[in-house]
Amino acid sequence: MKYLTEFRDKDVANGVLSEIQKTAKQIKQNPNIKLPILLMEICGGQTHSILQYGLNTAVLPDVEFVHGPGCPVCVTPIETINLALELAKQPNVIFTSFGDMLRVPGSHENMFQAKANGADIRWVYSPIDAVEIAKENPDKEVIFFAIGFETTVTPITAAIHLAKKWGVKNFFILTAMVRVPPALEVILNDQECVINGVLAAGHVCTIMGSGEYEPLAQKYAIPIVVTGFQPVEILSGVLTCLKQIRDGRAQVENAYNWVVREEGNLVAKELINEYFEIINRRWRGIGEIPNSGFGLRKEYQHFNAEEHWKNIIIKKEAESNPYCGLVLTGKMKPTACPFFKKECSQEHPIGALMVSSEGACAAYHKVSK
Ligand code: SF4
């Protein structure tokens, strides 16, 4: 297939669906395997596609999707949002961020409210835009809110690289970037979260490579299939997972091989490795996960907003409700949250999962209108 429309073609999708049903029938012959097969899609972009195209109902009763923690806005803990708000209110600061973050509630306000009260907060589409703002405003200090998974770490690294090359001294990042495999391992270790297979996020694997998941597939004896975002791609990922389960295999397979390589993007990985090291990081609803984040290396601490404004101390706060964490870790569907479409809606979100364009609650909210 060459064109996007082909990945959304109804006839092709129906063809894959009937293969899924056939394979599920074969799985049913094995009395040790219970249906529905529970598959966790990691990425919030995949969750939105699944809901938008009705794949969640199309695969029933053989397969059920369990939504994973792959939304960077959703997993950023509240103390980091509070720190971002404090930094944004510092004198002489221009605070820049991707749009989704601006609506995520901190303990007392969100970025839009802080902006309305006078903070210079700007929505950018790329971290490089923030470096350009810094270049154009040498008398200001410009901070970029660096959130994202491995995919987004690449343009953030490019921005730091450019700032270094251009000699921009007034550019900083507030780092909250995370890695998928350690979070997936926490979920696979959790007795309350039972899943039979994983659909890994294609864009993350484009950078880091599918090979990163081999140790997890082996250790937890679980199929992990790298999958794209269009309906036919997601269904193909489901089918590949089911075939592994039917055959008693537990491997990493690449159902997105027109984009993803086992070794990933070596140029991007080398650049990331030059500027960032792997550190522990706190995740909303999960807590601290060892080796799950990227932090600036010692020699690049002059770009680190937390280091530059180290006098600002933010205390860790408990989550305002337990439901966001349960949804993030696949233990609860958004519709089971007592706040869903009541106190928490897209118009008045109380949790990040309702704000983000990749949040599971926002996905359910959109299709339930
Ligand atoms: S509906 Fe709102 S409060 Fe409930 S889990 Fe989703 S984002 Fe959190």
Side-chain angles (χ1 to χ4, degrees), residues 321 323-324 327 334 337-341 344 350-354 361:
N321 74 71
Y323 305 112
C324 298
V327 173
C337 171
F339 299 138
F340 182 76
K341 286 193 83 179
C344 188
I350 60 173
L353 290 81
M354 189 58 94
C361 298

Side-chain angles (χ1 to χ4, degrees), residues 205-216:
C205 296
T206 304
I207 303 300
M208 304 312 285
S210 55
E212 268 209 334
Y213 294 84
E214 290 289 353
L216 291 178

Side-chain angles (χ1 to χ4, degrees), residues 230-264:
Q230 299 303 321
V232 172
E233 294 172 322
I234 292 170
L235 291 174
S236 302
V238 170
L239 178 61
T240 309
C241 252
L242 292 195
K243 284 182 176 170
Q244 284 202 39
I245 291 165
R246 177 196 65 192
D247 302 340
R249 292 181 288 122
Q251 300 166 325
V252 175
E253 269 187 275
N254 187 357
Y256 197 42
N257 58 10
W258 45 98
V259 181
V260 171
R261 301 276 169 273
E262 189 184 350
E263 68 280 11

